[in-house]
Amino acid sequence: MRYIGVNGVLTEAAKAVIHVSDHGFLYGMGLFETFRTYNGVPFLLDRHLRRLEEGCRMLGIPFQPDKEQLTKHIQHLMVANGLDEAYIRYTVSAGEEALGLPSGDYTRPNHILFAKPLPSTNTQTGQSSALQLLRTSRNTPEGEVRLKSLHYMNNILAKRELQQYAEAVHYRAEGIMLTANGFLAEGIVSNLFFVRNNTLYTPDLSTGILPGITREFILELANLRGIPCEQGLYRWDELKQADEIFMTNSIQEIRPMDLLLEPGGVASHLSVPLAQTESITALLLHDYRQKAGMK
């Protein structure tokens, strides 16, 4: 990554800095969105900006989304970094303020834009992965709804735990966290879906999960196909009875899972081959990529 966008200016990566008094650095006061491009165009950008705007309002950070200007900035950054397609991270930090908790709204936020190559994925139909149950619990949101904020310690602790399991490392597994009450929550960087008897299930937002952009979009695609959907409270044992399981995020799209791993070494395989083109996972992946402009 040769260049980073800092407050609208293409900046050499080594010179891309913010002040140590930025409250994003001091207190984690800031939000970010991650998304990817298809054919060089950011996908579902309107939705990402809407979530970012709502979150900034809750934190007292001024933010006026400008989709057209941001898109141009992203494209310039991609060209500068020699990218045809990119993984994009857009961060809005509270900005520099006096040391101590703020008594009012912020006035000078920092906008940081990263563009890097897309990671290799295994989301082609029939290419599945593993899901590792973690002992690290999903923490509760700081407010009424979980924000995609800069204080990411819970996720990082979960990732550190994940790396302790040899099988999980071998299979490049995603980790799944439970709530303190033992209900399925979400992955380290993804939302959870599973299928049982042709019904699509996903944990309810009341579990404290992030209201993922891709999660929302998948529910809409399922509704368009007439697939019954339920959002609720589910246990690990219920997941083990699923016909299909997949995780979602904006970078990996839909990532099928066919192997469940537990801390004690127990492994469970799904019985239904996800390569079947009539599987709900395959149908939703097809629809998602079609909406994204992929043939």
Side-chain angles (χ1 to χ4, degrees):
M1 193 185 310
R2 296 174 55 202
Y3 292 94
I4 296 171
V6 180
N7 295 322
V9 178
L10 289 180
T11 307
E12 292 182 22
K15 298 178 181 179
V17 297
I18 60 172
H19 198 279
V20 294
S21 293
D22 189 303
H23 276 204
F25 170 71
L26 290 175
Y27 303 114
M29 290 296 288
L31 303 171
F32 70 98
E33 293 289 329
T34 54
F35 46 91
R36 62 159 292 178
T37 64
Y38 293 89
N39 302 314
V41 179
F43 187 51
L44 300 179
L45 184 56
D46 284 325
R47 299 182 188 223
H48 285 283
L49 291 177
R50 188 182 314 123
R51 181 170 69 176
L52 189 56
E53 181 181 22
E54 292 172 355
C56 283
R57 184 174 62 251
M58 293 173 62
L59 298 182
I61 299 173
F63 179 73
Q64 291 292 330
D66 187 333
K67 178 183 176 182
E68 183 177 351
Q69 186 62 33
L70 179 61
T71 299
K72 290 179 180 178
H73 191 195
I74 288 170
Q75 292 172 341
H76 291 159
L77 184 60
M78 289 172 61
V79 170
N81 285 306
L83 300 172
D84 295 321
E85 302 288 6
Y87 171 123
I88 306 295
R89 170 169 165 152
Y90 180 32
T91 301
V92 178
S93 182
E96 182 183 350
E97 293 289 345
L99 186 64
L101 301 185
S103 57
D105 289 346
Y106 293 98
T107 59
R108 298 174 293 172
N110 284 311
H111 296 248
I112 311 297
L113 193 62
F114 297 89
K116 69 176 185 178
L118 289 167
S120 59
T121 63
N122 58 344
T123 55
Q124 293 292 334
T125 302
Q127 295 181 325
S128 302
S129 187
L131 189 63
Q132 172 71 55
L133 176 64
L134 300 175
R135 293 190 173 96
T136 301
S137 297
R138 191 57 168 134
N139 62 357
T140 56
E142 291 82 357
E144 294 182 2
V145 64
R146 184 175 297 280
L147 302 178
K148 199 172 180 70
S149 69
L150 301 186
H151 36 95
Y152 225 55
M153 185 182 296
N154 187 219
N155 303 66
I156 293 173
L157 290 175
K159 182 62 177 291
R160 288 176 61 84
E161 181 190 346
L162 181 67
Q163 297 305 114
Q164 298 174 12
Y165 302 116
E167 277 196 291
V169 173
H170 174 73
Y171 288 108
R172 298 182 179 179
E174 166 68 314
I176 182 75
M177 293 179 280
L178 308 180
T179 68
N181 294 324
F183 294 111
L184 294 167
E186 61 187 333
I188 298 173
V189 294
S190 58
N191 286 121
L192 168 69
F193 286 87
F194 64 95
V195 177
R196 180 70 174 168
N197 296 328
N198 295 315
T199 296
L200 183 65
Y201 298 89
T202 190
D204 191 77
L205 294 180
S206 65
T207 59
I209 63 174
L210 180 74
I213 299 299
T214 304
R215 175 186 182 275
E216 174 188 57
F217 195 58
I218 291 301
L219 288 171
E220 292 175 9
L221 292 177
N223 183 62
L224 288 173
R225 276 198 174 267
I227 298 170
C229 301
E230 291 188 16
Q231 302 179 53
L233 303 177
Y234 312 109
R235 301 281 185 177
W236 175 255
D237 284 344
E238 294 177 81
L239 190 64
K240 291 170 69 173
Q241 300 301 314
D243 300 319
E244 306 171 40
I245 301 171
F246 60 88
M247 309 298 287
T248 64
N249 69 28
S250 296
I251 305 301
Q252 297 176 340
E253 305 166 334
I254 294 176
R255 184 180 177 189
M257 302 286 161
D258 64 358
L259 177 63
L260 299 178
L261 304 172
E262 299 182 34
V266 178
S268 305
H269 289 267
L270 268 67
S271 58
V272 178
L274 295 180
Q276 294 181 357
T277 56
E278 68 272 18
S279 72
I280 287 177
T281 303
L283 292 174
L284 291 174
L285 180 57
H286 169 271
D287 292 351
Y288 186 95
R289 289 181 168 170
Q290 188 175 62
K291 292 288 187 180
M294 298 179 68
K295 296 182 179 180

